[in-house]
Amino acid sequence: MGEGGRIITVGSVLGARVPFAGMADYAATKAAVAGYTKGWARDLGPRGITVNAIQPGPIDTDMNPASGDFAEVQKAGTALGRYGRAEEVAAAIAFLASPAASYITGTTLDVDGGFIA
């Protein structure tokens, strides 16, 4: 990857907050994604490559539908009181991949409706 390249990882806000029992292993893997992203930012910064992580909260997907068994609890856990949409996560990724984000590296961007606010 050359100068000006972009690496964008996708983790989860559950790497920063574990609100449900039984989620420790999942949360640990997502925390590792965030940590590795920060390390990569330092390693690749001298080559002009930015590395950032997106951390989605509850997003309406086949794996975690907004009408699923745990949906009401997850919605109540967000400041906005709703699930996010895949398009909202994609917009954040597109921003980080754009020239407008050329001075952003080593950060995690929570796209979570205020889940960890």
Side-chain angles (χ1 to χ4, degrees):
M1 181 176 288
E3 173 97 15
R6 302 280 191 269
I7 296 172
I8 302 161
T9 61
V10 179
S12 170
V13 293
L14 294 182
R17 176 178 176 223
V18 185
F20 310 112
M23 298 295 294
D25 292 343
Y26 180 83
T29 66
K30 298 309 179 180
V33 169
Y36 200 45
T37 296
K38 290 181 181 297
W40 269 351
R42 288 282 180 179
D43 292 347
L44 298 174
R47 293 178 40 200
I49 298 169
T50 65
V51 187
N52 294 290
I54 295 289
Q55 297 189 140
I59 304 297
D60 187 14
T61 63
D62 290 343
M63 186 175 139
N64 185 28
S67 60
D69 294 341
F70 303 104
E72 292 308 312
V73 171
Q74 290 183 65
K75 288 178 197 175
T78 70
L80 296 178
R82 69 173 179 86
Y83 267 54
R85 298 183 314 275
E87 300 83 36
E88 292 169 312
V89 176
I93 293 170
F95 167 70
L96 289 175
S98 77
S102 63
Y103 198 61
I104 300 171
T105 195
T107 194
T108 54
L109 178 57
D110 300 329
V111 183
D112 67 349
F115 190 79
I116 60 172

